Amino acid sequence: MTSLRTRERLVQRLMEQGVSDLKVLDVIRNTPRHLFLDEALSHRAYEDSALPIGFGQTLSQPYIVARMTEVLLGAAGGSLKRVLEVGTGSGYQTTVLAQLVEQVYSVERIKPLQDKARQRLRQLGLRNVVLSHADGGFGWPDKGPFDGILSTAAPRFVPEELKQQLAPNGVLVIPVGDREQSLHLVLRVGETDEFVTKVLEPVRFVPLLSGTAR
Ligand code: SAH
């Protein structure tokens, strides 16, 4: 099928840009990104660009999906069991994660986006994803702690609630900032209440609209 060929080309481009985790590349190769877009845009699904999904939101650029996933897996340094995603959006990043970790919890504040994502996940037969319609800036306290948390919307500061829901040695990958944003990697140090933050590359995300963004 042509979409497989164009996906292969996308994977080549991601490798050229420095994505090196073969498991992540394999999942990108096998995930039909066109199913996560409205029909009018689906022919652009394998360009390496962010695309609108309605309600002023965007499906992230494949490079950033791959990169964040790679950072999450790399920092966790083993297999991830429970992962929280903040900002389900189209469900594409959710689907990528679901193929790499045991169980994904994903929170979205815009109900119609969540409904569409749910349909797609069902269509793809993914059984290890649970969705919630809520303000993900508060995490998902009932389901935590999480080995990994990945946010696809940017708060101005890392919400304390997300850090507190990290399991021992848990890893949080999150874009932070307002007009200027950068990707942050926050690691919980063992079982302590200490965290180490690494600031990675500049990024561009929609804002995290949350009661935690004080
Ligand atoms: N992961 C998505 C990216 C969607 S853009 C994808 O692959 O398509 C980020 C999403 O975060 C948007 O859908 C937006 O509605 C959502 N969002 C923003 N603030 C949020 C909040 N406080 N809680 C939950 N979702 C939020």
Side-chain angles (χ1 to χ4, degrees), residues 177-197:
D178 193 359
R179 272 196 308 209
E180 299 210 339
Q181 300 172 2
S182 50
L183 195 60
H184 282 47
L185 169 62
V186 182
L187 303 143
R188 185 190 277 267
V189 180
E191 298 186 13
T192 69
D193 223 8
E194 278 173 48
F195 300 88
V196 172
T197 300

Side-chain angles (χ1 to χ4, degrees), residues 77 79 89 94 100 159 180 198:
S79 66
T94 323
L100 292 160
E180 299 210 339
K198 294 182 186 168

Side-chain angles (χ1 to χ4, degrees), residues 57-149:
Q57 307 304 320
T58 51
L59 167 47
S60 310
Q61 179 193 1
Y63 168 75
I64 200 71
V65 172
R67 175 79 181 123
M68 286 174 81
T69 310
E70 175 174 85
V71 168
L72 183 82
L73 296 183
S79 66
L80 283 160
K81 289 204 168 72
R82 303 164 69 81
V83 172
L84 173 70
E85 179 191 26
V86 177
T88 315
S90 69
Y92 176 72
Q93 171 81 70
T94 323
T95 299
V96 167
L97 283 173
Q99 296 170 80
L100 292 160
V101 309
E102 219 167 280
Q103 181 71 42
V104 180
Y105 300 87
S106 185
V107 185
E108 171 58 54
R109 59 181 279 280
I110 301 177
K111 182 78 176 128
L113 286 179
Q114 191 208 19
D115 290 342
K116 265 199 208 168
R118 190 185 298 286
Q119 272 177 21
R120 291 169 180 139
L121 298 173
R122 196 173 297 145
Q123 197 182 343
L124 292 169
L126 292 174
R127 292 175 192 285
N128 59 340
V129 179
V130 193
L131 302 181
S132 163
H133 177 225
D135 178 348
F138 292 98
W140 194 341
D142 292 351
K143 302 288 186 190
F146 302 98
D147 305 307
I149 302 178

